Amino acid sequence: MKTLKNTMIMSVLVAGSALADTVNFDDDKVGEAPAGWTATKTGKGEAKWAVVADETAPSKPNVLKQSGEATYPICLKNDTSLKDGFVEVKFKPIVGKEDQAGGVVWRLKDADNYYIARANALEDNVTIYHTINGRRTEKKRTSMKVASNQWHTLRVEFQGNHFTVTLDGKKALDWDDETFKDAGKVGVWTKADSVTLFDDFTYAGK
């Protein structure tokens, strides 16, 4: 009976993992934005999203790099539409005088309307926001160490109006909100002059 139970548990885990999609950018052309993504921004400035080779990549050889300067650079996975589920990414903040941030977005309607969770190496915190008509509003934050030039894992799970954010496997914060109830795209995000690397972008719906 115990063997049967363990087999059932493993089957559930395998089935659950099979539903998740991971993008590691290793098949994309270096020097260009990844295929199937929209490289854009919220606000003003010039975002610069490109796939580059990086020897520190969690899954070698390539990563996605943002090295431009804009209000909020964002890069969206075009074929996604998630209402409930999770989105996770590994990110490495490199430099930035104003910010050294890495974030994920979900339930995105367009480049001006979405939820975002981000970690900032200059401030050592994790924060959750919503952006409505291009205006970002902070909702909740918590202090957590976010080291520069190191890879971190940021994840948000969203179910109905409840969101849970974790950093490097540790719970950062919970938040409830009903601004965006419908399914939307997922993607990655930075702010201002942040130069940030991203790898192993993983997401799944429920």
Side-chain angles (χ1 to χ4, degrees):
M1 191 69 181
K2 184 177 181 180
T3 302
L4 177 60
K5 183 178 180 180
N6 288 342
T7 301
M8 291 174 65
I9 291 174
M10 287 302 297
S11 297
V12 170
L13 290 174
V14 170
S17 62
L19 296 176
D21 288 310
T22 299
V23 181
N24 56 27
F25 309 107
D26 293 336
D27 295 326
D28 287 290
K29 187 174 181 179
V30 172
E32 298 182 0
W37 293 67
T38 296
T40 185
K41 67 182 185 297
T42 303
K44 300 178 180 179
E46 192 67 35
K48 184 179 179 181
W49 293 96
V51 174
V52 300
D54 185 85
E55 62 181 12
T56 72
S59 56
K60 293 180 176 60
N62 294 345
V63 299
L64 175 62
K65 181 179 184 180
Q66 201 297 121
S67 57
E69 192 167 337
T71 309
Y72 306 117
I74 54 177
C75 198
L76 316 172
K77 187 74 169 62
N78 293 338
D79 61 356
T80 56
S81 182
L82 281 68
K83 181 178 180 180
D84 296 324
F86 79 90
V87 59
E88 176 182 299
V89 74
K90 294 175 183 175
F91 75 98
K92 182 180 181 180
I94 304 297
V95 294
K97 292 183 178 180
E98 183 176 343
D99 268 276
Q100 293 182 24
V104 291
V105 299
W106 70 100
R107 290 190 189 162
L108 180 140
K109 296 172 60 179
D110 53 41
D112 289 327
N113 295 277
Y114 52 86
Y115 288 119
I116 176 211
R118 74 100 175 97
N120 192 318
L122 286 186
E123 300 176 2
D124 280 332
N125 59 35
V126 177
T127 310
I128 196 167
Y129 310 83
H130 61 43
T131 297
I132 302 174
N133 295 327
R135 181 177 179 179
R136 189 190 68 160
T137 303
E138 179 181 326
K139 293 303 177 180
K140 195 172 184 180
R141 74 165 56 190
T142 187
S143 296
M144 295 185 79
K145 180 60 181 177
V146 186
S148 296
N149 288 298
Q150 291 185 23
W151 285 98
H152 302 277
T153 301
L154 182 66
R155 177 185 178 103
V156 59
E157 298 180 8
F158 41 101
Q159 179 74 39
N161 69 346
H162 186 70
F163 315 133
T164 301
V165 182
T166 59
L167 179 69
D168 296 332
K170 298 179 180 179
K171 182 177 177 181
L173 53 85
D174 286 299
W175 183 48
D176 296 324
D177 185 76
E178 296 189 358
T179 301
F180 303 116
K181 299 179 181 180
D182 298 330
K185 289 182 173 60
V186 292
V188 294
W189 176 102
T190 69
K191 181 187 174 187
D193 62 346
S194 300
V195 177
T196 308
L197 307 182
F198 296 91
D199 201 4
D200 295 343
F201 180 80
T202 304
Y203 60 94
K206 289 185 178 179

